[in-house]
Amino acid sequence: MTLPRKAGLGFKPEHFPAISETKPDLGFFEIHAENYMGAGGMPHAMLERLRADYALSVHGVGLSIGGPDPLDRDHLARLKALCDRYDPESFSEHLAWASHGGVWMHDLLPLPYTAETLALTCDHVDEVQEHLGRRMLLENPATYVLFDNSEIPETEFLTEISQRTGCGLLLDVNNVFVSCVNHRQDPRAYLEAFPLNRVGEVHLAGHEEEELPSGPLLIDSHGREVAEPVWALYAETVSNTGPLPSLIEWDNDVPDFATLMAEAERASMILSGDHHALAS
């Protein structure tokens, strides 16, 4: 199963009445896995009704798949129960770590790109895919620091993981822009090196900008509309790949449903090749 090559939205419970009433023309909804690891209650009642009408993407934030510790087997078991229950068209996680020695950082932290971390991450991806019995997608991170001991370019690191494990990739275009601006790199060069043939889903989100004495610092905030340079990179990408499942992420300061739909409709226009969508 794969997601429809259309625009989708991150599901927010406060939008459930509007979704139920209007049945919007969207390809899929995405949920964060960790919000649905309980057994029942209103969250699952809404999700079951949503699942009856739409394709579903389950997006994890808690596996710490790039970390040095063994994967949390209890967390994996809860994730498998969720995937078995809803049989989503896609499951994805981040190239990041979030725990060490049993302590959770509540953030998605970057890792150095070395032969050692590559092998460890591949082992973790293999373990996740074997445990879930399904192929996963791995997302490129938004980063704010680089490691002196990194020896493999990020695009090559992701390509190697995908080739060794068979996993797909989730291309977050906003993360590409945020990281490249923060590290004074060219986002178009990054995308030229990215293995686009392995992308199973695209993420689009908003970011904040701070002006520091050393130059601009972008924060992957998920709290506003998608920025114009990100829309432009997205349009250039799908002009090369053809339509891809494309999610609007807006997780903080969540607006009304009409505002989210306007963002999704803009993504739909770009997916259909309508260049007027970039004229806003």
Side-chain angles (χ1 to χ4, degrees), residues 1 8 20 38 43 65 67 96 99 102 123 126 145 151-152 163-164 202-203 221 234 236 242-244 251 259 276:
M1 289 194 301
S20 298
I65 207 164
S99 67
D123 287 346
D126 283 338
V145 296
E151 57 192 23
I152 306 172
Q163 290 177 340
R164 293 186 190 186
V202 172
H203 275 182
S221 63
Y234 171 63
E236 292 168 16
L244 291 168
D251 298 316
T259 301
H276 294 293

Side-chain angles (χ1 to χ4, degrees), residues 18-235:
I19 296 167
S20 298
E21 181 177 344
T22 63
K23 298 286 178 61
D25 181 19
L26 291 166
F28 64 101
F29 279 95
E30 183 166 285
I31 61 164
H32 284 176
E34 286 72 14
N35 291 337
Y36 293 87
M37 287 185 170
M42 187 58 72
H44 283 288
M46 288 190 287
L47 184 54
E48 286 171 357
R49 289 183 56 186
L50 196 73
R51 182 66 174 119
D53 295 324
Y54 292 98
L56 180 67
S57 171
V58 172
H59 189 50
V61 297
L63 274 177
S64 195
I65 207 164
D69 290 347
L71 296 181
D72 184 330
R73 302 294 293 189
D74 290 337
H75 188 96
L76 262 181
R78 291 191 291 271
L79 182 60
K80 178 173 172 52
L82 178 66
C83 288
D84 287 350
R85 180 171 180 173
Y86 290 101
D87 196 18
E89 280 78 2
S90 175
F91 167 71
S92 55
E93 251 287 357
H94 302 81
L95 178 61
W97 62 282
S99 67
H100 183 64
V103 177
W104 285 88
M105 314 298 177
H106 301 292
D107 209 342
L108 297 170
L109 301 169
L111 57 148
Y113 300 138
T114 66
E116 180 181 6
T117 60
L118 175 62
L120 183 61
T121 304
C122 287
D123 287 346
H124 285 168
V125 171
D126 283 338
E127 183 178 351
V128 171
Q129 293 187 135
E130 181 177 355
H131 192 82
L132 298 184
R134 63 177 64 234
R135 183 175 186 244
M136 65 173 291
L137 307 180
L138 191 64
E139 178 179 341
N140 60 295
T143 59
Y144 310 94
V145 296
L146 296 175
F147 292 87
D148 287 340
N149 61 332
S150 277
E151 57 192 23
I152 306 172
E154 183 173 284
T155 51
E156 185 178 330
F157 196 86
L158 285 161
T159 301
E160 280 291 319
I161 294 172
S162 183
Q163 290 177 340
R164 293 186 190 186
T165 68
C167 78
L169 298 176
L170 192 161
L171 173 62
D172 190 313
V173 182
N174 184 59
N175 286 356
V176 172
F177 186 72
V178 165
S179 296
C180 287
V181 169
N182 288 343
H183 305 315
R184 314 299 183 249
Q185 297 173 350
D186 180 0
R188 287 179 172 80
Y190 181 101
L191 288 169
E192 287 176 1
F194 199 91
L196 295 175
N197 61 321
R198 296 181 178 274
V199 174
E201 184 181 346
V202 172
H203 275 182
L204 297 161
H207 59 258
E208 305 293 334
E209 179 172 348
E210 295 184 16
E211 193 61 34
L212 303 179
S214 57
L217 173 70
L218 303 190
I219 308 295
D220 180 33
S221 63
H222 292 198
R224 57 179 303 166
E225 67 279 359
V226 178
E228 294 304 322
V230 176
W231 281 122
L233 290 172
Y234 171 63

Side-chain angles (χ1 to χ4, degrees), residues 250-262:
W250 197 322
D251 298 316
N252 299 304
D253 298 324
V254 177
D256 59 27
F257 190 65
T259 301
L260 284 184
M261 277 301 299

